[in-house]
Amino acid sequence: MPAEVPIALLPGDGIGPEVIRESVKVLQAAARTSGFLVAFTELPIGGAAIEARGVPFPEETLRGCQAASAVLLGAVGGPAWDHLPGPARPEAGLLQMRRALGVFANLRPVRVLPALVEFSPLRAEVAAPTDLLIVRELIGGVYFGQPRGRTTDGAVDTMRYTAGEIARVARVACSLARQRRGKVTSVDKANVLETSRLWRETVDAVAREFPDVTVEHMLVDTCALQLVRTPGQFDVIVTENMFGDILSDEAGAITGSIGMLPSASLGDRPPFLYEPVHGSAPTLAGRGVANPVGAILSVALLVRHSLGHVEASRAIEMAVEQVLADGVRPRDLGGQASTVEIGDRVAEKVIRMALSRSHDATMLRAGHLPKET
Ligand code: NAD
Ligand code: IPM
Ligand code: MN
């Protein structure tokens, strides 16, 4: 029997628990059909942790994450906690966790699926070629820089980067570009910000380690424009924390819904963190209408990057594509399918695909099918 892989589950707030439930269903289907075992430990974070433990990122959650091979998170935040001061908010819990796990490279792949091209707000011929990967620096920049807080008559946030923090995320972007179309667009605001001038110099130095990768620079305001004008021009985009946050929501809209986008956050050592890009969508919570695809595709990334099962990961992605192509669509993509129905259909498809693979293998062994050449 293979050993069970421990996974920390942090459903969080709003639609978080609903989309996580469906993604777990799909992960279990993938595990059953690909011969690995997973064991889940559920832990509180965000508003749910504030209610249960009085803080947004309890010590027990940190320890539970550290003991796991991977962490799967739903979303945090909501109107109930919006009155709290910054460090006490649910979102602060998420930021503390990312930092504690050291997950500096946040991968946000963005593809317009052929079956969904009509749901993009962009014209079909502009939207269809979209296949890009945003690599967002996740544990530095203005989200974390000191000093921060209130002054007597104002407020201060500080954007800080070291060359080391920039170089390590740039290396991740260049390595991933090698497995894709070999192009990196580094996005900054070097015409205004000193951190961006350091960013550009450091990315250029890293680029010299990757002579087979084309590295270009683009200002963030131009990038925002180019993303909706010709998204197909981008392969890998690498950028600092806040620019990456904003550009990934914009890129999400191109796919038809932010509910479609998954993410993987990687560091130097496991556990790595997987979460959909969307938030807790408070107005949808508890209604069974949230799109679970971002969470399900996050599980596909977990299976690939933390468990090393590339085929099982691909099977989940293909199952999602086929279910959507079959016309099973959530509300945000003009359909009627519930959160649970989408999870059920994707899990069922993962199992059917595995059955047909093993049927083909049996037929092949029995000499009933021609060998593929
Ligand atoms: P949001 O992503 O929750 O919602 C933006 C819009 O997209 C809303 O119209 C929402 O209904 C829709 N949407 C989002 N996810 C969807 C899904 N899976 N299916 C269908 N529609 C979906 O962003 P927001 O409204 O700006 O933020 C709400 C709360 O979530 C805030 O407290 C915010 O801080 C928090 N938030 C958390 C995360 C996270 O935990 N990673 C990310 C973003 C926002
Ligand atoms: C995201 C979210 C978070 C971020 C918030 C909730 C702290 O918007 O994951 O994109 O800004 O990183
Ligand atoms: Mn965001």
Side-chain angles (χ1 to χ4, degrees), residues 119-181:
F119 296 102
S120 176
L122 303 183
R123 284 200 312 280
E125 67 270 26
V126 177
T130 307
D131 178 6
L132 60 89
L133 172 68
I134 296 177
V135 180
R136 168 189 178 194
E137 198 293 323
L138 199 62
I139 56 174
V142 72
Y143 275 59
F144 295 94
Q146 295 292 339
R148 57 195 288 122
R150 290 297 170 104
T151 58
T152 40
D153 63 345
V156 58
D157 290 293
T158 304
M159 192 186 286
R160 264 182 210 283
Y161 268 110
T162 65
E165 288 171 325
I166 300 166
R168 65 185 181 180
V169 72
R171 275 192 197 99
V172 170
C174 289
S175 306
L176 291 168
R178 262 184 183 156
Q179 300 161 33
R180 297 173 49 99
R181 302 191 300 280

